[in-house]
């Protein structure tokens, strides 16, 4: 235990000092730590890649990094994974058996429990939480008060535990679906409008695409599943991708932001340089675990991601574009764009505070059967719209103002749901109102944890907002 430890997250936007920090070696130790700290607040951390306040506590913190075993089931259709196992370790273990995970986000640094607890997703499939088949969680027995392990494997309890925001107890292992390794074929193409990009989904269901700010074109990363046969030039493609995108693009953006410090230069780069450096129509096939990810963790950043249903995607993207345009123009005299007019006053306050400098990534997530993952419920696909800032932590206020404005106004206009594990500046009452089953989520948590030992102040606010909504 290290009592004085200050904990900070990947983004550097969350810092706190718990009263105790523990890295239990096994499940028995998890139980004994809980028994020694009954009556205190308890939070679990994974790789600390979430940007939201989910991990913050003034109680004790458990990091279950040593619970990292991967136990493929005999039928090869699923695997038990220790909660603290990083996704990259899961993938490496499964690959030895010719298996992989059904979906991946952009990076693999997260732990399996951390990723699934916030609905982490990629493009063209469900979020990872959907593939969870069972969860083993340590919590207090409400009758005896002793810590115990519960197996959750069905019903609304499982739908809650699949994406549980760390609020059902300490997850010690999860059973997750897996599948045979497969190939991804991908190529890039630039489009002037959204419609052809969406039409291409039929051919390339796993695609993601980027709205290039200031050029306002769409760069589609067309992707589809193919039999696993590596292209001859796959190795070269990986080097090209690493040097030009993972390193080159990011260094260029940091240069523009931190050295040149000119919004005009940022706009020039997007209008005339960046899209032209992407090689279009180069079709390459490689294994999914190489193709679907990037080294996005190389440079510290802050991200907000807003989920809208397909029928709201186009107006939502137009709205984002209009807001970013106003935010970047200190004195522009534009007539009020129709989509923004209802929130015009708030928008005027943003004038000139921030110039967006990163491609806006858009990913399709198939609707999940969970209680509160961002892509839960409804009959339509969800689209995650991501906005990222590479400004230094002390210089993020412009981005944070724009993010808060977008989160608030887009939740009202488009029912947009912010990612639980990303920057989340939406008031509690607005957030819970976006999830028809939040009340059931709360009930499931309170049944297991009536004293609220596994909640922090953010979760408590969400639960209070649910009661307020029910009473009004
Ligand atoms: C560079 C970068 C890239 C990213 N890319 C994507 C992406 O492509 N797609 C996407 O959807 N998200 C992405 N994210 C967000 C990230 O996947 C989520 O924030 C995820 O929750 C982080 O997992 P973690 O292991 O770091 O968990 P943490 O951030 O440490 O914790 C997240 C939550 O999980 C809970 N938790 C962790 N372990 C346990 C446990 N054992 N028991 C109970 N609760 C637990 C914590 O209490 C907390 O509520 C990215 C983040 C970064 C920094």
């Amino acid at each position: 235990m290290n009592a004085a430890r200050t904990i900070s997250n990947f983004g550097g936007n969350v810092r706190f000092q718990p009263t105790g920090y523990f890295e239990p070696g096994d499940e028995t130790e998890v139980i004994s730590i809980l028994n020694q700290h009954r009556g205190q607040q308890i939070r679990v951390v994974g790789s600390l890649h979430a940007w939201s306040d989910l991990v913050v506590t003034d109680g004790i913190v458990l990091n279950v990094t040593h619970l990292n075993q991967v136990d493929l089931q005999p039928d090869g259709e699923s695997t038990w994974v220790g909660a603290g196992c990083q996704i990259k370790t899961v993938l490496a273990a499964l690959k030895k058996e010719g298996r992989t995970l059904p979906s991946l986000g952009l990076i693999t640094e997260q732990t399996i429990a951390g990723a699934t607890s916030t609905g982490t997703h990629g493009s063209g499939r469900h979020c990872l939480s959907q593939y969870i088949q069972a969860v083993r969680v340590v919590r207090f027995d409400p009758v005896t008060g002793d810590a115990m392990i519960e197996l959750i494997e069905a019903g609304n309890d499982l739908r809650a535990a699949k994406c549980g925001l760390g609020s059902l107890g300490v997850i010690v292992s999860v059973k997750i679906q897996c599948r045979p390794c497969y190939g991804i074929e991908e190529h890039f193409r630039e489009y002037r409008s959204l419609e052809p990009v969406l039409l291409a989904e039929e051919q390339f269901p796993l695609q993601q695409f980027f709205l290039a700010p200031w050029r306002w074109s769409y760069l589609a990363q067309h992707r589809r599943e193919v039999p696993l046969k590596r292209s001859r030039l796959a190795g070269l493609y990986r080097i090209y991708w690493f040097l030009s995108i993972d390193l080159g693009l990011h260094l260029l953006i940091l240069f523009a932001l931190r050295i040149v410090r000119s919004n005009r230069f940022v706009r020039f780069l997007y209008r005339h340089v960046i899209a032209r450096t992407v090689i279009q129509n180069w079709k390459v096939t490689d294994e999914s675990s190489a193709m679907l990810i990037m080294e996005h963790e190389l440079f510290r950043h802050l991200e907000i991601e807003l989920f809208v249903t397909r029928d709201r995607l186009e107006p939502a993207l137009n709205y984002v574009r209009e807001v970013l345009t106003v935010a970047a123009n200190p004195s522009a005299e534009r007539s009020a764009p129709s989509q923004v007019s209802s929130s015009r006053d708030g928008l005027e306050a943003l004038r000139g505070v921030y110039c967006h400098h990163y491609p806006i990534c858009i990913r399709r997530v198939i609707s999940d059967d969970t209680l509160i993952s961002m892509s839960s419920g409804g009959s339509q696909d969800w689209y995650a719209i991501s906005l990222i800032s590479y400004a230094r932590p002390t210089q993020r206020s412009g981005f944070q103002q724009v993010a808060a404005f977008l989160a608030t106004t887009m939740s009202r206009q488009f029912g947009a749901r912010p990612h639980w594990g990303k920057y989340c500046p939406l008031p509690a009452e607005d957030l819970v109102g976006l999830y028809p089953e939040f009340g059931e989520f709360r009930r499931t948590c309170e049944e297991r944890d009536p004293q609220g030992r596994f909640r922090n102040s953010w979760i408590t606010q969400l639960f209070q907002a649910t009661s307020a909504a029910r009473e009004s």
Side-chain angles (χ1 to χ4, degrees), residues 182-449:
Y182 63 102
I184 294 281
E185 180 209 79
E186 88 170 28
H187 70 280
F188 271 92
R189 220 184 125 182
E190 188 178 18
Y191 296 86
R192 284 279 145 204
S193 65
L194 180 63
E195 199 187 345
V197 181
L198 294 181
L199 279 175
E201 269 172 2
E202 265 185 44
Q203 248 188 303
F204 305 107
L206 302 182
Q207 71 178 20
Q208 59 188 11
F209 54 97
F210 301 87
L211 175 57
W214 316 120
R215 185 175 173 88
W216 304 119
S217 68
Y218 292 92
L219 270 170
Q221 197 171 7
H222 292 312
R223 282 173 169 165
R224 64 177 156 207
E225 180 175 337
V226 291
L228 181 49
K229 190 166 179 295
R230 260 190 123 211
S231 301
R232 203 166 41 87
L233 295 181
L236 184 64
Y237 185 72
R238 291 259 63 79
I239 294 170
Y240 151 76
W241 181 268
F242 179 71
L243 292 179
S244 73
I245 308 286
D246 291 338
L247 276 185
L249 172 69
H250 292 85
L251 289 174
L252 189 61
I253 288 168
L254 290 177
F255 175 71
L257 270 184
R258 297 184 185 180
I259 312 282
V260 183
R261 296 197 199 169
S262 154
N263 293 347
R264 283 181 69 180
F265 184 60
V266 169
R267 286 188 246 202
F268 170 82
L269 288 179
Y270 277 100
R271 283 184 187 138
H272 304 293
V273 181
I274 289 173
R276 297 209 170 108
T277 63
V278 176
I279 303 177
Q280 296 194 39
N281 296 316
W282 181 10
K283 287 192 180 161
V284 180
T285 300
D286 203 344
E287 60 178 292
S288 61
S289 56
M291 215 60 161
L292 296 176
I293 61 167
M294 61 186 290
E295 305 289 330
H296 217 205
E297 71 281 6
L298 283 183
F299 303 98
R300 184 200 295 250
H301 56 273
L302 181 65
E303 175 174 356
I304 181 168
E305 191 168 44
L306 298 161
F307 286 65
V308 296
T309 47
R310 186 185 172 106
D311 58 345
R312 291 165 168 172
L313 178 63
E314 186 158 20
L317 286 175
N318 291 338
Y319 182 82
V320 169
R321 174 178 171 172
E322 289 167 6
V323 171
L324 293 180
T325 302
V326 172
N329 283 295
S331 56
E333 291 299 325
R334 302 174 79 244
S335 57
S338 57
Q339 308 223 35
V340 190
S341 52
S342 63
S343 33
R344 193 78 217 165
D345 290 348
L347 184 63
E348 280 307 317
L350 294 182
R351 199 168 269 294
V353 300
Y354 171 70
C355 177
H356 194 61
H357 53 258
Y358 198 74
I360 299 161
C361 180
I362 298 125
R363 291 181 280 178
R364 180 172 70 96
V365 191
I366 302 174
S367 161
D368 308 314
D369 182 25
T370 64
L371 290 181
I372 60 154
S373 61
M374 296 74 70
S375 39
S376 59
S379 53
Q380 298 185 50
D381 291 342
W382 292 83
Y383 286 77
I385 304 170
S386 139
L387 291 127
I388 290 180
S389 165
Y390 278 86
R392 290 184 206 281
T394 50
Q395 289 164 2
R396 286 173 175 161
S397 76
F399 174 75
Q400 286 170 316
Q401 284 176 61
V402 170
F405 180 82
L406 285 173
T408 311
T409 54
M410 287 179 67
S411 70
R412 291 177 192 154
Q413 288 186 49
F414 307 110
R417 298 171 169 177
H419 194 308
W420 291 113
K422 300 193 177 178
Y423 185 57
C424 188
L426 198 58
E429 54 280 11
D430 291 343
L431 252 177
V432 299
L434 295 167
Y435 293 92
E437 295 195 272
F438 202 93
E440 178 60 14
F441 176 72
R442 176 188 156 171
R443 192 202 57 73
T444 313
C445 296
E446 285 180 340
E447 188 181 280
R448 288 183 163 67
D449 178 26

Side-chain angles (χ1 to χ4, degrees), residues 63-91:
N63 180 337
V64 292
T65 183
H66 300 302
L67 307 189
N68 61 3
Q69 71 290 354
V70 178
D71 188 8
L72 184 65
Q73 297 302 282
D75 62 5
E77 298 296 316
S78 62
T79 180
W80 277 100
V81 181
C85 191
Q86 286 184 285
I87 289 176
K88 60 184 174 191
T89 311
V90 182
L91 291 173

Side-chain angles (χ1 to χ4, degrees), residues 10-11 43-51 54-55 64 83-84 104-107 109-122 165-167 169-172 296-297 301 303 305 307 363 374 419-422:
F10 165 87
R43 259 345 244 171
V44 194
V45 300
S47 299
L48 288 163
H49 275 57
W51 286 276
L54 274 177
V55 290
V64 292
L104 285 180
L106 280 180
I107 61 162
E109 302 298 308
Q110 310 95 323
T111 61
I112 194 76
T116 54
S117 291
T118 63
T120 294
H121 64 96
L165 311 182
S167 303
V170 182
I171 299 173
V172 285
H296 217 205
E297 71 281 6
H301 56 273
E303 175 174 356
E305 191 168 44
F307 286 65
R363 291 181 280 178
M374 296 74 70
H419 194 308
W420 291 113
K422 300 193 177 178

